[in-house]
Amino acid sequence: MTRPAADPADLSAYLAVHPAPVMAADALIRDETGRILLVDPSYKEGWDLPGGMVDDEEPVAALERELHEELGLRGARVGRLLAVDSMPKEVYGRSQVACVYAVHPRGPLPLEELSLQREELRAAEYVPEREALRRLPKPLRPRVAAALRASLGSYTAQLRQGRAVPVDLRDHYALLPSPMTAAAALITDGRGRVLVAEHSYDHGGGSPYGLPGGMVHAQESPRRGAARELAEELGLTEVPVGRLVAVDSTPARTYGRALDVHVFAVGPLTDEQAASIGFPDGEILAVHWLPPDEALALLPAQIGNRLRYGLRALAAGTVAHLEGGLPQPGSPVGVPSSRRPSPGEPDTTACADRRALRAKAFTAAAVLLTDPAGRVVLVRAAEGQDWALPGGPVDSDGGEGPREAARRAVRERLGPAAPVPVGRLLAVDWLPGGSAGCAGARFPAEALYVYDGGVLDEAAAARLGSGPGVWRAAPDRDLGGPPAGPVTAARVRACLAARERGAGAGAVELAAGHPVED
């Protein structure tokens, strides 16, 4: 084997006489309806893609030259390489490499504006994909079919005589067509405001406003992509990405690829975290903290719907399934009543969708505990929150029932070694769902089971402690004020009355703390 010298002049001389395959470059051009432009060459049978042989030039330059010579077309953008097809010298006497590029004219390209090179082309025509493949010569069909498939994905088809070249399994999966994936952050602060980003680019319709986020890389999950974008766009490196609140799928339209956007809750940010926001990569020019309704008025419609239904899912503890920004059957968020069967109409909704569409309610359990002085034990999780009876949510996913949840709440307060005085059911309190304060978001209703924990002895009462999270409220003096709230005050009084009536009276039915009248 003769090796070229390192000297550039010697290398040029070597390349000038080195045997090389012939090369062709063809164009896949579509009109505004998706039809493909075919030409009918006068020098061979069958239709073909526009293009031709590469001279001593780069393939893209050759294709631009051929489009001008054959069609009178200038200024078209030669896009990505869709297919590379190699043929051994046994086919045409010389080895050949054929490349198919996506080509995008600058605006509509009607046939009457083409200037055909009559000595080479008899006609040109836009035809649907299936008709195009039918008209092409048989050896050319697999190459064009592979280019059409590649135009829907993110890969270049590697072919040999029109057949896909076998690849490693890892490469096979990397080449599979798939939607683009993006991650967006729904960022809130402690005042209930949401962060709207003012980007350096257009989100559609001339609007620069959107949610922080960007495309997910091939080797990362959507959550990791969201965390990376927070660091790159806003400089937020110590703020955790919260739970998924929405997934919005958009079919292929403008850019030819479908897009799945995962929306994650972030925050609420503290004042210090909000003050630390910067713009390291320059994609975001400014941020605006706005009430949700003002943010919705500023954002483009589809991005606004991601915010709207993401906030609803955040309040309801669900995930919004969207397409084009609109809730889909089976999504528990925002499905309008017009898409639900009316009373008396047959319900044709699939069983799984019907379960998802049913209204949701939380279930919780609490315990009425009093000390030897008759004071009611109330607790709160943090400074500034309302006082309430000891209790918490029922872990139904773990198989827990309301009574087991009440026992767990008492153990957590009194310690694992303490007796668990959970007696009879005193009341079931129905708390209607309420507005979450923004964008139509609502907190789900809640059913609260209240059990009798009895009267604590001095030792158990001492174990409760007297720190900021525990308060022993005298019913006749302390329950009328704001710390406990009117609902808790009414609930405690109703449960104390039920305890006095004894087991024979049964549990009382409450609504927002007050007895329900028959």
Side-chain angles (χ1 to χ4, degrees), residues 22-298:
V22 295
M23 192 171 191
D26 294 330
L28 183 64
I29 300 175
R30 296 179 185 269
D31 68 3
E32 57 272 18
T33 67
R35 296 179 302 173
I36 297 169
L37 180 64
L38 293 185
V39 294
D40 184 13
S42 57
Y43 53 85
K44 64 178 181 179
E45 292 298 321
W47 292 74
D48 202 348
L49 296 176
M53 303 306 296
V54 177
D55 294 336
D56 190 9
E57 59 195 335
E58 296 178 39
V60 170
L63 185 54
E64 292 173 337
R65 173 182 54 77
E66 286 285 345
L67 292 175
H68 174 59
E69 292 174 356
E70 289 187 345
L71 303 176
L73 179 59
R74 282 190 179 276
R77 301 188 302 275
V78 178
R80 67 185 183 92
L81 181 61
L82 298 175
V84 178
D85 191 6
S86 62
M87 284 156 286
K89 62 183 181 181
E90 288 78 14
V91 178
Y92 296 113
R94 289 278 301 277
S95 296
Q96 180 181 1
V97 177
C99 298
V100 181
Y101 290 88
V103 174
H104 311 285
R106 297 184 182 276
L109 184 64
L111 292 175
E112 53 268 23
E113 292 187 7
L114 298 178
S115 178
L116 300 186
Q117 187 180 23
R118 289 301 175 183
E119 60 270 24
E120 289 200 7
L121 299 180
R122 288 188 288 259
E125 189 175 342
Y126 286 111
V127 295
E129 285 188 9
R130 184 171 296 182
E131 174 65 14
L133 294 175
R134 189 189 68 80
R135 291 191 187 187
L136 292 171
K138 188 174 181 180
L140 187 56
R141 289 175 195 165
R143 181 190 309 162
V144 175
L148 290 171
R149 289 192 297 272
S151 71
L152 303 177
S154 58
Y155 67 97
T156 298
Q158 183 183 355
L159 310 171
R160 187 175 187 274
Q161 290 186 269
R163 293 185 175 88
V165 175
V167 296
D168 177 79
L169 189 61
R170 183 184 179 91
D171 292 336
H172 166 76
Y173 285 114
L175 294 173
L176 287 177
S178 61
M180 298 181 291
T181 302
L186 196 168
I187 305 176
T188 57
D189 69 2
R191 301 174 181 85
R193 301 178 300 178
V194 297
L195 185 146
V196 173
E198 184 176 343
H199 284 98
S200 57
Y201 50 85
D202 182 5
H203 280 282
S207 173
Y209 300 108
L211 299 177
M215 302 306 296
V216 176
H217 294 173
Q219 284 76 38
E220 64 186 2
S221 68
R223 183 186 297 276
R224 289 182 180 272
R228 175 181 49 76
E229 289 288 341
L230 286 176
E232 293 175 356
E233 292 190 340
L234 298 174
L236 295 175
T237 58
E238 302 298 328
V239 176
V241 175
R243 72 175 185 86
L244 181 70
V245 293
V247 177
D248 187 14
S249 300
T250 302
R253 287 201 295 262
T254 305
Y255 301 108
R257 293 279 300 283
L259 173 66
D260 288 341
V261 179
H262 293 67
V263 183
F264 293 92
V266 176
L269 300 191
T270 64
D271 290 343
E272 292 75 15
Q273 289 171 329
S276 73
I277 288 176
F279 313 113
D281 66 2
E283 285 197 19
I284 294 178
L285 304 178
V287 296
H288 306 276
W289 288 101
L290 300 172
D293 291 337
E294 292 183 21
L296 290 173
L298 192 64

Side-chain angles (χ1 to χ4, degrees), residues 438-460:
C438 56
R442 292 183 62 83
F443 293 114
E446 180 176 319
L448 175 65
Y449 291 74
V450 184
Y451 293 90
D452 188 2
V455 179
L456 299 176
D457 58 28
E458 291 292 348

